[in-house]
Amino acid sequence: MLVFVSMVRNPLSSRFLQAMILGYVLLAIFTRMQEARGAYTCGCDEDCWCKRPGLSLFRWVLPRWHKNEALSAWKASQA
């Protein structure tokens, strides 16, 4: 909490944080547009978090915690 308060007081840190968040959202929008064009395809299961309408925007910029049983089985067989 104290670290966040000190970041808000420093305008340079605040602008840097705003720029990082804006860049992250712009990258998410760009990759979503690329997916709509057919450049990317999602192979996750239907109940994965990235299939939900609001969260699908961040599908390609947040590569963790996806649910794909076929990929999990393949990884287990490779070990």
Side-chain angles (χ1 to χ4, degrees):
M1 180 76 176
L2 186 58
V3 174
F4 182 72
V5 171
S6 66
M7 286 180 65
V8 172
R9 288 184 185 160
N10 187 352
L12 185 61
S13 296
S14 178
R15 288 190 187 236
F16 179 73
L17 182 62
Q18 289 174 355
M20 291 294 293
I21 291 171
L22 180 64
Y24 191 78
V25 170
L26 288 176
L27 182 62
I29 291 170
F30 176 75
T31 55
R32 186 70 169 113
M33 288 177 3
Q34 292 292 328
E35 181 185 12
R37 287 184 38 202
Y40 303 124
T41 56
C42 182
C44 291
D45 296 340
E46 289 301 318
D47 59 341
C48 184
W49 67 266
C50 72
K51 300 288 184 172
R52 295 188 183 142
L55 298 176
S56 66
L57 176 67
F58 298 101
R59 179 179 312 173
W60 302 107
V61 294
L62 188 63
R64 301 244 180 204
W65 307 292
H66 289 270
K67 186 174 182 183
N68 188 335
E69 296 298 327
L71 183 61
S72 299
W74 179 81
K75 285 182 179 179
S77 70
Q78 297 297 314

